[in-house]
Amino acid sequence: MRFYINNEHLQQQIEYPSRYETANLFKSTVVVFSALLLFLLLFTPFGVYEPEHKMNYFFICALHAFSPALLFYLYFSTLNYFRRKKQLLANWSLLREYLHMSLFLILAGIASFLMRDLIYNNAYNWSLRYLWEEIRNCFVAGIFFYFFLRVVSFYFQTKQGSPFVLQFQPLKSEEDEKVASSPLFITTQVKQDDFSLNIDDLLFVKADGNYIELTKSTNNKIETELKRISLSQFETQISAYPHFFRCHRTYLINMFKVEKVTGNSQGYVLSFIGTEEKIPVSRKQLDNFNNCYQQLRKPNIA
């Protein structure tokens, strides 16, 4: 999910993914090198003719593993740099991934071909035949490892979740351009506990047994109030306001007040302007949260 936001928010949200992508790319590079080295040592997949070797077979395998691993890191770190620079982090698809992987494998094959004189005593090192063989071998091995790593990555992300920052465009209500709405009267089980509430000031509501804790932003000042009413009862009385969303069994939020969304496959974490408190979105509510966001965003899309 990516939407345009102001420069300050954009900078905050790009910096974290940048550090995370670099660390993740380095880990992936180490995995690529280790997996290729182990594969070459165990299976010698493309044939070995020892009289041609200029060095021990282990070092040949290490070079054949190191070359694509280094190229992998350089290629995708450069790609990520330009994607961040042009703000195209979300402009990605499976087709683009396949195209970039194909280009990377071609470059890896060319790199292996250029190393032949360093590794082999062969009069035909610079022939088109060996160029084709190196590119073909890289595609055979690369496609296998690519889908293997995709399956492994998907498994661990499903089990544990990978942190990320959604580039979330804060929503804007139609009331933002108007005079604040009149206070909403909330009734409780005890008449003297009834109260009025300016719904536009409300950031989020937290359940506390038979009470709720209201967190509001009034004149850029955060205020918290405790009221004797259950969260479910309160939610029922503000059902006419679709921008209030039950993101968790103990939290109700004002979608118009969400500043930033971070999280992983286990759930999101919401940030609000003016307060350090983080509000969770439960895993069960992820799809509902996304749907609610899209519905509220539609009137604001030019």
Side-chain angles (χ1 to χ4, degrees):
M1 185 190 300
R2 176 183 175 82
F3 309 105
Y4 291 104
I5 55 181
N6 65 51
N7 289 336
E8 182 180 356
H9 291 162
L10 181 62
Q11 184 62 31
Q12 291 173 350
Q13 297 191 40
I14 284 180
E15 285 177 357
Y16 178 81
S18 173
R19 292 193 297 270
Y20 173 72
E21 285 174 0
T22 301
N24 192 49
L25 183 59
F26 180 78
K27 292 177 183 177
S28 298
T29 301
V30 173
V31 170
V32 168
F33 172 77
S34 302
L36 282 175
L37 180 59
L38 185 63
F39 179 76
L40 291 170
L41 288 173
L42 291 178
F43 298 104
T44 57
F46 306 119
V48 175
Y49 184 55
E50 292 188 1
E52 288 186 356
H53 293 176
K54 291 183 177 181
M55 60 183 71
N56 183 275
Y57 182 68
F58 175 83
F59 295 108
I60 292 176
C61 291
L63 280 175
H64 273 299
F66 178 76
S67 173
L70 177 62
L71 187 61
F72 177 86
Y73 183 84
L74 294 175
Y75 182 91
F76 286 102
S77 60
T78 302
L79 176 64
N80 287 340
Y81 169 78
F82 284 107
R83 288 173 62 215
R84 287 194 300 271
K85 187 175 181 180
K86 295 182 179 180
Q87 300 181 14
L88 297 174
L89 289 174
N91 188 20
W92 190 257
S93 65
L94 203 56
L95 177 60
R96 283 177 181 268
E97 187 166 316
Y98 290 159
L99 290 174
H100 281 292
M101 285 302 302
S102 297
L103 180 56
F104 159 72
L105 291 174
I106 291 174
L107 293 176
I110 293 174
S112 294
F113 173 73
L114 295 176
M115 290 193 305
R116 288 192 60 85
D117 261 353
L118 179 65
I119 299 172
Y120 305 112
N121 284 310
N122 190 308
Y124 301 100
N125 276 337
W126 295 100
S127 66
L128 290 176
R129 170 200 164 191
Y130 281 121
L131 174 61
W132 159 247
E133 283 190 1
E134 295 291 355
I135 293 176
R136 181 199 63 190
N137 293 345
C138 280
F139 263 89
V140 171
I143 290 172
F144 169 78
F145 282 112
Y146 169 75
F147 285 105
F148 172 76
L149 292 174
R150 289 280 292 183
V151 170
V152 172
S153 175
F154 176 77
Y155 173 79
F156 283 109
Q157 287 181 6
T158 301
K159 288 292 183 181
Q160 189 173 10
S162 297
F164 59 86
V165 178
L166 297 179
Q167 297 200 349
F168 177 91
Q169 179 183 4
L171 295 166
K172 191 175 185 181
S173 80
E174 296 178 358
E175 295 297 327
D176 289 343
E177 306 297 333
K178 303 177 183 178
V179 179
S181 59
S182 57
L184 178 68
F185 190 73
I186 303 294
T187 61
T188 66
Q189 293 179 343
V190 181
K191 186 173 180 61
Q192 59 265 32
D193 290 333
D194 296 349
F195 62 97
S196 295
L197 173 68
N198 188 337
I199 204 76
D200 295 331
D201 292 341
L202 191 58
L203 300 181
F204 53 86
V205 185
K206 179 181 179 181
D208 186 6
N210 291 325
Y211 291 80
I212 58 172
E213 186 180 276
L214 305 171
T215 298
K216 303 182 295 180
S217 177
T218 306
N219 298 322
N220 296 322
K221 182 180 179 182
I222 300 298
E223 299 177 349
T224 300
E225 294 182 0
L226 192 64
K227 299 295 183 181
R228 186 158 61 176
I229 182 176
S230 71
L231 185 58
S232 296
Q233 291 171 337
F234 179 81
E235 182 182 16
T236 299
Q237 294 189 52
I238 63 169
S239 59
Y241 299 88
H243 57 283
F244 281 91
F245 175 72
R246 186 77 171 266
C247 64
H248 189 274
R249 63 184 180 83
T250 57
Y251 285 99
L252 180 72
I253 63 166
N254 185 345
M255 294 287 289
F256 291 147
K257 303 297 184 179
V258 177
E259 179 190 24
K260 186 170 67 174
V261 183
T262 61
N264 55 40
S265 59
Q266 301 301 307
Y268 297 161
V269 177
L270 311 179
S271 301
F272 297 80
I273 297 175
T275 176
E276 295 297 322
E277 188 164 356
K278 308 298 183 184
I279 307 304
V281 179
S282 66
R283 184 177 182 180
K284 292 181 180 179
Q285 290 289 61
L286 294 184
D287 289 339
N288 292 332
F289 176 87
N290 294 334
N291 291 336
C292 182
Y293 177 85
Q294 293 295 342
Q295 289 299 318
L296 293 172
R297 183 174 179 265
K298 282 181 180 179
N300 302 312
I301 300 177

